[in-house]
Amino acid sequence: MTVDKFRMHSRDLTQRNVDAIAVLFPTVVTETLDAEGAPARAVDFDALRQELSDFVVEGPQERYQLDWPGKRAAAFAANTPTAKTLRPIRAESVDFDTTENLFIEGDNLDALKLLQESYLGKVKLIYIDPPYNTGGDKFAYPDDFAEGAREHRIRSREVNDDGERLRSNFETNGRFHSDWLSMMYPRLKLARNLLRDDGIMFASIDYNEGFNLRSIMDEIFGSDNFVGEIYWESKTKSQNTATSFDKLQPKAELILAYTRRDMRRFNLVKHGERSYAGKDAQGQFRIAEVEQMARDGVRGRTTMVFSILGVEPAPGNQWKVGQDTIEEWASRGDLLLVNGRPARKMRPDDERGDVTKPFWGFFSKDIGTAESAKRDLKNLMGEHGFDTVKPVRLIQQLIYHATSDDDIILDFFAGSGTTGHAALEQNAADGLKRTWILVQYPEAVEKGSVAERAGFGTVAQLARTRLGRAAEQLGAELGLVNPRPDLGFRTLRVDTTNMIDVGATADELGQGELGGMIDSVKPDRTDEDLLFQVMLEWGLDLAESITVDEIGGRRLLSVANDALIACFADDVTDDVVQGIAKRQPLRAVFLDAGFATDAARINAEQIFREVSPATDLKAV
């Protein structure tokens, strides 16, 4: 056993793709050297072409696809690792130690990369309401598609010439649509990785980028996994009556629905139970007439026209079920004539007992409009400055249809926090335990705006305030109900790595700075900061419980009942190592600088090898 070092950056998704190809086609993977000269696996494309034979499209052949300037760089951006981390912010959380909900403040591209290990294939529902690209929308671009070590150090120290990365995308920009697509593409690719096989993604959009969004989602999710479109009646008033004579007034917005794989199963609204009033030797039943349908449509079949107990379907019609099914019912003694019409005995095992309403692809204004949502938010928070807000009931309905108990919900364009609010409401309504992850960029509110006058500095701050007040309101309404739903959230912030940048050479540093490199952790970082970076590296759920303990005067952090024990003390003694090893954690991590000598580190390895050989041991 050796004390291995963490890589301290998000996983290289290109290498993960290579690993996936190796599982399917092990003969096409070969060894090479990476940029640092270390051994790495690579794909032999000539060998892969042979494996796929006639299914490879090469050269400048015409093909159906959406292309734009910057697409290749955008795809590359999704696979490029990030050296960022997530830092816990207790002061801006609600019930930090007990909640399982997460609010992440920062660039959602970085956040999605950081979530890849902990939430890969675990999210049941993703809902996003991205910028609609109407000519002045703000979003984080251009993204840093390819960034070297030095460039990263410059940007991490926030002395780059570009300054603020949040910019407006005006229609006068020649790359108006391209920039929006380049912003969305890598985020959607990363989001798909997080979905479960039976997961569903809903994306709100309007006509400005509706076609483009569907095109790139067809590419990323696969057109076979397109579920459908939901139209939401978002407006009841004309936007501008003065110009209404020369343009269509938008009344509805679009919600695109895609699944990770074709394994979805929606929950339907129940509005009754079927009654089985009849009873015979085989049990209870109800009478159901054998249904007919018109034969002139695309589903018309001559084979569906036949006699059932001497009765033919009406002229121009056909039976909805085939002869094999009719024969099966007859063999069970369940086929009979009722008032001269074929019918069957429908038994409880033949169908679902509840009567349900379909999941219609249309939400009327009754579920809430953009105007009513804005008023509702004002009633909750006072003045807020948001011009476009989604109704809580709209998102709540999507959550109802697409999730069940213990499911995870993700929204990486959180805005005012409607998705989190809707999840809180739905959990309170049906008593289920769904958890959520919201991501919002800390975009500064405009100077002199309503939001600034109301005391908000950033959109992320406004969203957290909204979630806190919604929780207070729900808590008051629920009273002493037990068990109480989770009304809190754990705030994490995307930030630079906790480790001091040692990429600079000795020649670039002064003598005093060289001395500072002995401690590899930045002076403003806490052991809890380090813990969350380690949890990301190990792919642990970021909402896991954290307890504080002590051995030999050294502070320990235990995650999920010793699934991980971390000790980031500056000086780790053999007694401390022995005490941790005796608890036999699944994982243990120490500060590398906490071992005074190489001999102390080797001794720690030996202790774990003897006392807890199954522990995964690492250092930062």
Side-chain angles (χ1 to χ4, degrees), residues 232 363-369 372 391-395 397:
W232 163 53
F363 290 158
S364 74
K365 62 186 177 183
D366 296 338
I367 207 167
T369 64
S372 68
V392 170
R393 283 185 59 207
L394 171 71
I395 312 305
Q397 195 68 29

Side-chain angles (χ1 to χ4, degrees), residues 439-567:
V439 184
Q440 177 55 41
Y441 192 90
E443 175 188 355
V445 301
E446 294 184 8
K447 296 293 183 182
S449 65
V450 171
E452 186 183 54
R453 292 197 299 272
F456 300 110
T458 66
V459 174
Q461 181 189 3
L462 187 151
R464 283 194 298 270
T465 302
R466 186 249 184 96
L467 292 168
R469 293 185 185 176
E472 289 176 4
Q473 187 179 78
L474 268 174
E477 292 173 0
L478 292 168
L480 300 177
V481 64
N482 189 33
R484 288 177 65 82
D486 183 355
L487 300 176
F489 57 90
R490 183 178 281 183
T491 296
L492 307 174
R493 182 170 295 147
V494 176
D495 207 334
T496 57
T497 177
N498 295 305
M499 316 312 292
I500 289 175
D501 185 356
V502 293
T505 65
D507 293 337
E508 295 175 307
L509 298 171
Q511 190 63 38
E513 291 172 296
L514 276 172
M517 288 298 168
I518 295 173
D519 189 352
S520 60
V521 181
K522 292 176 180 175
D524 64 332
R525 305 301 166 96
T526 67
D527 59 353
E528 203 164 63
D529 290 331
L530 288 172
L531 178 67
F532 273 85
Q533 187 157 356
V534 166
M535 289 170 70
L536 285 170
E537 292 272 350
W538 251 315
L540 298 180
D541 190 323
L542 300 178
E544 288 284 7
S545 62
I546 300 170
T547 56
V548 180
D549 203 350
E550 187 176 291
I551 292 180
R554 309 302 189 272
R555 179 173 147 106
L556 306 183
L557 298 172
S558 172
V559 178
N561 298 318
D562 290 355
L564 162 65
I565 295 181
C567 178

Side-chain angles (χ1 to χ4, degrees), residues 54-174:
D54 297 334
F55 297 94
V56 176
V57 178
E58 296 182 284
Q61 300 181 37
E62 293 181 346
R63 66 197 75 176
Y64 181 78
Q65 63 178 358
L66 177 66
D67 212 350
W68 68 90
K71 181 179 181 180
R72 180 172 297 183
F76 180 75
N79 293 339
T80 305
T82 179
K84 298 292 188 69
T85 190
L86 294 176
R87 298 180 64 191
I89 313 295
R90 283 183 171 269
E92 296 174 7
S93 304
V94 175
D95 299 333
F96 185 96
D97 289 318
T98 57
T99 185
E100 294 184 32
N101 303 316
L102 301 178
F103 185 96
I104 300 175
E105 178 181 299
D107 187 332
N108 54 15
L109 182 62
D110 288 322
L112 288 167
K113 290 181 179 181
L114 292 169
L115 295 175
Q116 292 295 304
E117 293 291 307
S118 297
Y119 296 95
L120 181 70
K122 295 181 180 179
V123 176
K124 181 61 182 299
L125 168 64
I126 297 177
Y127 170 78
I128 59 170
D129 183 18
Y132 281 7
N133 205 23
T134 56
D137 287 306
K138 290 185 176 182
F139 48 83
Y141 83 94
D143 290 313
D144 300 293
F145 295 139
E147 187 175 49
R150 181 171 178 79
E151 287 80 5
H152 176 78
R153 291 198 299 273
I154 292 173
R155 184 165 65 82
S156 298
R157 293 168 183 164
E158 299 179 345
V159 295
N160 55 325
D161 294 333
D162 292 332
E164 188 78 17
R165 294 176 66 210
L166 201 67
R167 307 178 184 178
S168 295
N169 191 38
F170 293 104
E171 287 186 276
T172 51
N173 173 21

Side-chain angles (χ1 to χ4, degrees), residues 121-126 194-202 258-260 263-267 399 401-404 406-410:
K122 295 181 180 179
V123 176
K124 181 61 182 299
L125 168 64
I126 297 177
L194 301 179
L195 273 181
R196 286 171 23 178
D197 282 347
D198 62 345
I200 189 86
M201 179 167 184
F202 294 109
Y258 281 81
T259 188
R260 176 71 165 80
M263 299 173 62
R264 65 190 178 279
R265 183 180 178 87
F266 292 123
N267 303 315
I399 290 172
H401 283 303
T403 64
S404 300
D406 294 321
D407 283 345
I408 299 174
I409 300 164
L410 169 66

